[in-house]
Amino acid sequence: MLLWIAFSLMTAAAILAVLWPLRTGAATRAAGTADADLAVYRDQLAEIARDRATGLIGTAEGEAARAEVARRILRATAEIGQEGAVSGGDRRRRLVAAIALVGVPLLAGGLYLWLGSPLYPPQPLAQRLEAQPNPSDIAILIRKVETHLEANPDDGRGYEVVAPIYARIGRFDDAARAWANAIRLLGPSAVRETGLGEALMAQAGGVVTGAAKSAFEAALAADPKDPKARYFLGLAAEQDGRNAQAAAIWSALAADTPADAPWRGLLGDALARVGAEMPAPAAASGPGAADVAAAESLTPAQRQQMIRGMVERLEARLAEQGDDIDGWLRLMRAWSVLGDGAKAKSAAGQARQHFAGDTAALGRIDALARELGLGS
Amino acid sequence: MNPEIGHYALVLSLAVAILMTVIPIWGARAGDAALMKVGTTLALVLAGFVGLSFATLVVAYVQSDFSVLNVVENSHSAKPLLYRITGTWGNHEGSMLLWVLVLAIFAALVALFGNNLPARLKANVLGVQGSVATAFLLFILLTSNPFTRVIPPPAEGQDLNPILQDIGLAIHPPLLYLGYVGFSITFAFAVAALIEGRIDATWARWVRPWALTAWAFLTLGIAMGSYWAYYELGWGGWWFWDPVENASLMPWFAGTALIHSAVVMEKRDALKVWTVLLAILAFSLSLLGTFLVRSGVLTSVHAFATDPSRGVFILAILVFFIGGSLALYALRAPMLRQGGLFAPVSREGALVLNNLLLTAAAAAVLVGTLYPLALEALDGSKITVGPPYFNLTVGALMLPVAFAMPFGPLLAWKRGDLIGASQRLMAAFGAGIVIAALAAYAQGGGPVLAPFGMGLAAFVVIGAVAEVIERAGFGRVPRATAFARLRGLPRAVFGGALAHAGVGVCLFGIIAETSWNAERIAGVKVGGSFEVGGYELTLDRLEPRNGPNYRDLVGVFSVRRGGVEHGTIESAKRLFTARNMPTTESGIRTMGFSQLYVSLGDELPGGGVGVRAYWKPFVTLIWIGSIIMALGGALSLSDRRLRVGAPKPAKKPKVKPDPASPVPAE
């Protein structure tokens, strides 16, 4: 609001600059040209006299110069009478006033509305730094963390927080440095090492450099199952021209990748590039090869126990993320096979609740329920 | 302060400038005093708004308001306050705004102090000034808006070009612009005279101080730029014939011609048409300089603008103002009344010679600067017109100027006595020969032309002194009378003599430096030493230092001559962290008028560092001479008759009674 008041006052000042002189009537006669000329000529006469007195010019030259200036004076005097009187121009003045009153606001206002950003407040840096944290001002949030880290260079958590933000806004150098500091201070973890590897890779324009590769390997040392690290190590193999190795790494990863993992598509494309097939989706919490091997060496009771544990894990996962229709169907079948009809029935009921409104899903649930003899 | 206030002030300035173009000229045509007066108030309001706009931008820089694109691109919050302020005009947008600010201030000065101008002339002058302001405000708003905002604002700026992070940026551009834009006033006077179809004696009276002001600032601006390039670029050169330097030299030549021809016009009512043409040319060349630097057609250290749309816009402005004013000149100049005949050998004749040589020099620089551009535009071939061309052409033209310089002021108006003038210059001539002989003896077999040049320089300096002594009449009248007369001499006489002496001093420095400088390029390890110009430099130590936004590698050298300590020199290689750009901070030690110059190169494998060292004899005289020239201009300007302009018509001018001259009878 204050801004608009300021704009109005400024506009008014501009208009006033035109209107103020117009208020004096035409009576004032413009200072004549000839008058000013005469004054100059008189001054020149004085100077000639001075020059002659100092002996700079001789008497004869001085006389000639005097005569010349005198001729100019005569001519100027003759012109004084000729300067015409000012013609009255009330109409003209009204027109000028109208132009100023309408034209200035129209031109200035129009041009400003086109070019300006009146609603955008000033953002002095000091003020932004002092203000309450504003989640939309990412640049300042980063800067604050940076200032904090400058003062506390051993705060590993700080580096860990800011590193992914750097990566997101494309400051990969800073991201790599922050991850490296986080690792130095907090110790290696899969997340930190892959973060470092990714940042180094982005820095190199997408090439998995030696440094990036060692970071991914360090991530695997911390967590042998980390999918990102495995994916990028496959990429490293592919970039080195070792397609078979890449295919092996990715196939193994795909076998461990649940059907609902968002990176499945990416993995499929990668495998297609190296000429390998995408293996069938692994069961979300389905038994891994290791589980199967372990199961074989167990007593029947132990085996039953282990399978029960796996089913319970599936149940727990579905309780959290219930939009996996295949998961629910698998759960119903599993309880049924384990001979726990009540649990199978309850699973069917929960699945129906989750997919109420989805006729296709409800159809499949009903069909399985009939097949397993759970009733509806 | 809200940047939008500055933005609106700028837009409003455009509206005001348009009115200022139209209303006063209309008033002058219609003979309406009220309309003519509107020009005065509008000029003041224009200066106010442009000033407000500029101040807002400065505040945005000082507060590091990174919601303004211009600040983001050219500033950094770690920069020292001074460079945050100077950064405002260390970039294209800001420097154009400074240009218009200077223009508006000059217009306001005419409005304020032009009460004794004929109203019609004043109205026309302000109108022309308004039209120039309109063109440049349009240019700024449409192609180079400094108030463009960024959403979201970044947390840090990209910093200013490190070469520009120097005190030189605080001084050089404002001075240069005061010079360039000062000529817009003489241009406005010329065009106003052409519009009216008449030139009065008041015209010359008024043009002279403005031309002098602009010329003095331009002289300082060029000298400052030269010194800045000298110490900042680290090559030890003080003039490179770089197109940007040439762009400022051309209006200087034209302006120098103008201040001389304006004298003829004021005193003798002659050379009117020529003076008008020079006034147009001086500003046209200033515009051309602005175009060359701002359009980015050149790639040199100054070219920090590279957007072609801007180039086309400035070219249009150039065509409009230069073409328009020359067309008006062609139409109206024949109507101007000629007056004042004079013989070839006379003060007028000497000034005509000066004008011809100076304009020829301006033309030579113009050709040398534009020819490569034209050739590149025509068939794409890239050539460089280098120092040999300029040294030969400009040098050959300046020698006769220097030689004739002491004669001019000693010749009488209308009909002069060359032999008499020569006799009066005998002392100066003798001094020149002595200096030349001394120089020849001292150098013992250096460049042949050097002693001759030194002699010429001495002749110019002593000749300027001789003029003042001659005018006071020493030797012809009793000493007391002569002293009285000396005091009575108009300050313009002292100013002119001082400026001429400055030319001699500058010439002395140029010739000494180019003839006798010594250069040494060496790789030195800590503790090692080398010799340049008779001095022995030892690299005592290399040490890193940290500045607010840079890191230095400083080399400390101790200087000895014949075993005697002459202090130390510190030279640095500076790395600006924000842009990761290195600059050289040359170490300079001044001894008398000469300088020892050390510039640090790259570190060498094995602990040493590359060093370029120069011995520059009398080099400071180049800039001291320029400052003397500008001081001469200022002294001339302080002459009461010039400062007041035409006296008020109502009162008779009171000539201070001079003890030696009787009050003239009228």
Side-chain angles (χ1 to χ4, degrees), chain B residues 406-407 410 420-435 455 458-467 469-470:
Chain B
F407 287 94
L410 288 174
S422 310
Q423 281 166 351
R424 288 174 219 169
L425 281 173
M426 268 323 203
F429 213 80
I433 289 172
V434 170
I435 294 284
F459 173 60
V460 171
V461 175
I462 309 288
V465 179
E467 183 213 337
I469 292 175
E470 182 59 37

Side-chain angles (χ1 to χ4, degrees), chain B residues 153-166:
Chain B
E156 195 46 272
Q158 297 160 8
D159 210 354
L160 182 66
N161 184 345
I163 291 178
L164 301 177
Q165 291 195 30
D166 187 272

